[in-house]
Amino acid sequence: MTNRPVQPSQSTPACPYCPTPTKVGVHSKAQKRFKCHQCGKTFTETHITPLFGLKTHHELVVIVLTLLMFGCPIPAIVAAFKLDGRTIADCVDKSGEHAQRVQEYLVCQGELNLGQVQADELWCRSQRGVLWLATAVSVASRLLIWGKLAAGPTEDMIDDVVDHVHRAARLQSPILWATDGFSTWKASILHYFRAKVENGRR
Ligand SMILES: [Zn+2]
């Protein structure tokens, strides 16, 4: 028996569990659930997307997220679309987690010539108190490489950002760091970007 290549269909999504394209059929029309004929697993169209498990209409979720991205206040969205504030918070949480996974998968793969990287930390006041945000941006492409939120300007927050820049940067490519002079940046950069030179001595 020969294995015929399976052509991806426009109406059915690809199986998220199989590495190569497989034959996928409809498992439940009402639940929009599909079944892979290769591994036998079922999955929904929104599997591992921010829309997974949300009962709100998907097009509305996309509109709400776009408005939030451009700075629209949450009370305005609640009033305009008659949505619950908790639903919006849920959308934001899921999208944030998804964006983090995408950033890890696409950016932090050691393939970027970053050139100059600008790192900074800033604080903002929220209802739960003061929060700190550390970010690193590649200047030439304006790519935000990583950001980390914390309750204070801690070493862990800075380490996490530098670690992700290290994972994104192509090995041995020249990189220039610019920071605001906060000493934790220097210590962390020297820790993650050091190159071990073996000379036979301790
Ligand atoms: Zn499968």
Side-chain angles (χ1 to χ4, degrees):
M1 202 176 122
T2 53
N3 284 333
R4 276 182 301 158
V6 180
Q7 295 301 319
S9 156
Q10 294 228 317
S11 55
T12 55
C15 173
Y17 305 105
C18 294
T20 50
T22 56
K23 203 176 169 199
V24 171
V26 177
H27 182 66
S28 159
K29 249 186 183 174
Q31 293 177 1
K32 290 183 181 166
R33 190 164 270 279
F34 300 89
K35 185 171 183 175
C36 172
H37 290 288
Q38 177 101 8
C39 63
K41 288 179 181 164
T42 67
F43 56 92
T44 60
E45 206 174 15
T46 55
H47 182 85
I48 59 161
T49 74
L51 301 171
F52 181 73
L54 288 178
K55 289 189 179 74
T56 315
H57 212 273
H58 294 167
E59 272 114 49
L60 181 57
V61 174
V62 174
I63 292 170
V64 167
L65 289 174
T66 310
L67 287 169
L68 287 170
M69 235 165 54
F70 281 89
C72 182
I74 292 176
I77 296 170
V78 169
F81 297 106
K82 307 280 178 281
L83 287 170
D84 193 312
R86 286 165 297 186
T87 307
I88 298 173
D90 194 25
C91 289
V92 172
D93 283 352
K94 284 185 171 174
S95 315
E97 285 161 17
H98 183 70
Q100 194 172 342
R101 284 196 297 270
V102 170
Q103 192 81 356
E104 287 248 19
Y105 182 75
L106 292 179
V107 176
C108 300
Q109 296 292 331
E111 288 175 358
L112 302 179
N113 291 316
L114 295 173
Q116 185 182 338
V117 173
Q118 271 184 10
D120 203 0
E121 73 287 335
L122 55 92
W123 65 271
C124 56
R125 214 183 289 276
S126 79
Q127 283 176 321
R128 291 182 194 168
V130 169
L131 288 170
W132 284 78
L133 173 70
T135 54
V137 180
S138 175
V139 176
S141 61
R142 295 188 183 178
L143 171 73
L144 174 73
I145 307 161
W146 202 255
K148 176 79 177 175
L149 205 63
T154 58
E155 268 178 41
D156 286 350
M157 177 181 80
I158 305 289
D159 278 352
D160 190 60
V161 174
V162 177
D163 180 25
H164 280 93
V165 175
H166 182 251
R167 284 198 230 162
R170 193 186 288 274
L171 209 65
Q172 307 299 336
S173 67
I175 183 165
L176 172 70
W177 278 88
T179 72
D180 57 356
F182 183 45
S183 60
T184 313
W185 283 112
K186 187 182 167 189
S188 186
I189 292 163
L190 289 175
H191 173 75
Y192 281 95
F193 282 83
R194 70 182 170 185
K196 213 172 173 183
V197 180
E198 300 285 357
N199 61 1
R201 289 183 295 168
R202 285 193 73 176

